[in-house]
Amino acid sequence: MSHPLHTTAKPPFDGQRERISGDRIFFIELGFGNDSHGQSSTKAAVRACRNAIEFNSIPSIKRLIPDGGYDALKLDVLLAVPSKYQAGLDLEEVAKVFPYGDVRFELQDGGMVAPSGIAIEKLGDVNDDMVVVCASVTVGH
C-alpha cells in the first residue's frame, strides 16, 4: 500500500506532483534508520533520510540545472514504515532533513519492528519494539 504526499520541504503537504521522470533523475540514494527506544517512526524516518543523503555532495547542480540550481531540484522520498507506526509519522519533521528542493513523500508498508529485549519507561518506551524505517531518495529535476 502506497500513499503519496507532497511538500516543498516546508508544510503543508497539500498538493501532489508527479514522480520525477526517468530521464530527469540524477541519482537514487538509500538509507535506513531506527528508533531503539520510544517507538518513534518519525525519529527512525529522519535517521533513514539522513543516512541516505549524508555522504553525498552535488557541487555541479548549477551547471546541470542552469535555471534554478538547488532550488529547482526535486526529491522523491519513498519511506517504508511499519504499518502500526505510520499514524505517528510527522512528515513536517522528516522534511527538515532536506536543505533544498521540492520534496514529495510516498509511504508504503515496510520497514521492520524488531524486539529490543527491554522496555525502558524513562526512554519513552511503551513496549520493547524497535522501529526501523527504510528510505529511498530520488534526486532529479
Side-chain angles (χ1 to χ4, degrees):
M1 174 188 261
S2 230
H3 312 283
L5 300 161
H6 174 257
T7 180
T8 57
K10 292 183 174 54
F13 306 111
D14 55 2
Q16 289 187 32
R17 65 165 165 76
E18 296 296 315
R19 286 184 179 157
I20 302 166
S21 64
D23 63 337
R24 298 179 76 79
I25 293 174
F26 293 129
F27 53 89
I28 300 170
E29 307 162 294
L30 302 174
F32 85 97
N34 79 303
D35 184 26
S36 297
H37 295 285
Q39 295 76 48
S40 171
S41 56
T42 300
K43 190 182 290 186
V46 164
R47 290 173 175 167
C49 290
R50 281 188 186 145
N51 181 243
I53 68 169
E54 68 186 344
F55 298 110
N56 296 292
S57 177
I58 323 170
S60 60
I61 285 298
K62 288 185 179 182
R63 283 180 290 164
L64 296 170
I65 312 174
D67 294 337
Y70 292 98
D71 291 333
L73 280 178
K74 293 180 181 175
L75 301 132
D76 286 349
V77 180
L78 174 61
L79 297 173
V81 181
S83 58
K84 78 185 236 182
Y85 289 105
Q86 286 182 10
L89 183 61
D90 181 349
L91 291 176
E92 293 177 16
E93 195 63 31
V94 179
K96 292 176 185 177
V97 170
F98 304 101
Y100 43 76
D102 178 30
V103 181
R104 179 186 172 277
F105 286 102
E106 189 171 337
L107 302 180
Q108 68 177 219
D109 293 341
M112 180 191 316
V113 177
S116 70
I118 187 170
I120 304 173
E121 189 176 327
K122 188 162 60 170
L123 296 178
D125 282 336
V126 294
N127 57 43
D128 75 338
D129 287 353
M130 290 191 295
V131 179
V132 180
V133 172
C134 301
S136 172
V137 180
T138 301
V139 179
H141 66 104

